[in-house]
Amino acid sequence: MKTIKILAFAVLVSLSSIKMYSQETTSNKPTIIFVHGIWADGSSFTNQIVALQAKGYPVISVQNPITSLADDVAATKRAIAQAKGNVILVGHSWGGFVITQAGNDPKVKGLVFVAALVPDLGETIPALSAQGPAITLSNYLEPLDGFVYLSKAGVKEVFAQDLKEKDQNLIYATQTPAKQGVFADKSGEPAWKTKPSWYILAKSDKSISPELERFMAKRANAKTTEIEASHVVMLSHPTEVLRIIEEAATAKK
């Protein structure tokens, strides 16, 4: 009987140690904060969010108002403040502008740019875009009451051409338009000059030219992975994008 009690106690101690170790391991994981772009929303990273949560990562997906760069940076800074411990920022498209500035927070340990704009100090979207080949995205824009929407044809032709029609329709229905003034907002001091950076380049991107993406990734000294994908590479190639995010999250800082 005494032996059984000792064995039972030993099992309880072991289970308790495993639980404590698991909790400690989870708590040491950085918070992954996703920052979406124009004509998208926080759900565009659903595949990665679910996978990361299953692996014990704390995750926050910012819902940008896209009313100004300052407003979007403020939204991301609130998410950073909410996070406990270190942070990895993941920005898609316009989200690259946002994490370039918000990433200066000391809690941020790495930046992952996903087919994103990576501005230098003082650059606007037009100034940065002028450094690459011309694209036809502007042919599909629909201004309305001071905001800019992307047409359904634009989603299918230059934004998400490698997705199924039902997924394209979902993007169109859930898009967040940009206030027109956003395109003239100037970037602040870039965090990529002091923080480790990764870049996921979409080789079939028609919203940001792949040549411009290579230029920005090289300028930011980012570790670059090229994927044959449209602008919404996180939707068409979720596993590959997840792998790069995890690489950033586990990198030795």
Side-chain angles (χ1 to χ4, degrees):
M1 190 69 175
K2 184 177 180 181
T3 302
I4 293 174
K5 288 182 178 179
I6 292 172
L7 287 173
F9 178 74
V11 170
L12 286 172
V13 170
S14 297
L15 289 174
S16 177
S17 298
I18 291 170
K19 184 178 180 182
M20 289 176 63
Y21 175 76
S22 177
Q23 290 174 339
E24 181 181 357
T25 302
T26 299
S27 65
N28 286 338
K29 292 179 181 290
T31 297
I32 312 299
I33 296 179
F34 292 100
V35 184
H36 67 83
I38 301 172
W39 310 303
D41 73 350
S43 68
S44 58
F45 280 101
T46 295
N47 291 315
Q48 292 77 27
I49 292 168
V50 172
L52 289 166
Q53 287 177 331
K55 295 183 179 187
Y57 283 92
V59 182
I60 300 172
S61 192
V62 176
Q63 296 286 6
N64 285 323
I66 316 186
T67 46
S68 71
L69 177 57
D71 289 345
D72 288 357
V73 170
T76 300
K77 284 184 174 180
R78 287 193 295 272
I80 295 171
Q82 182 185 353
K84 296 177 174 61
N86 295 335
V87 166
I88 299 294
L89 290 181
V90 182
H92 173 242
S93 193
W94 161 255
F97 258 78
V98 181
I99 70 171
T100 287
Q101 195 162 321
N104 287 303
D105 189 289
K107 290 169 71 174
V108 176
K109 301 304 176 184
L111 309 169
V112 180
F113 296 93
V114 182
L117 294 164
V118 189
D120 204 342
L121 179 64
E123 286 183 331
T124 62
I125 290 180
L128 183 54
S129 299
Q131 299 187 62
I135 55 173
T136 60
L137 177 65
S138 60
N139 297 338
Y140 301 94
L141 303 185
E142 298 181 333
L144 178 65
D145 294 335
F147 285 82
V148 181
Y149 291 79
L150 183 62
S151 69
K152 184 174 284 189
V155 173
K156 293 183 178 182
E157 297 296 329
V158 300
F159 198 74
Q161 70 270 18
D162 56 354
L163 296 187
K164 294 180 180 178
E165 185 176 8
K166 66 180 181 66
D167 297 318
Q168 294 172 336
N169 290 338
L170 181 61
I171 290 174
Y172 175 73
T174 60
Q175 67 175 289
T176 303
K179 195 169 184 178
Q180 287 180 322
V182 161
F183 299 93
D185 284 350
K186 294 182 179 181
S187 182
E189 189 64 37
W192 48 260
K193 289 190 175 181
T194 58
K195 305 290 177 79
S197 299
W198 287 257
Y199 197 101
I200 298 172
L201 190 153
K203 294 171 68 177
S204 295
D205 200 330
K206 295 182 179 181
S207 295
I208 302 174
S209 75
E211 291 87 347
L212 179 59
E213 291 183 14
R214 288 191 188 93
F215 163 77
M216 294 183 293
K218 183 177 180 181
R219 184 174 67 173
N221 195 31
K223 183 174 181 181
T224 304
T225 301
E226 298 196 6
I227 300 174
E228 190 63 58
S230 70
H231 188 54
V232 289
V233 58
M234 66 283 191
L235 292 172
S236 60
H237 292 75
T239 303
E240 293 94 322
V241 171
L242 175 65
R243 179 179 61 81
I244 302 304
I245 294 170
E246 288 190 271
E247 180 181 318
T250 57
K252 299 297 182 182
K253 306 299 188 294

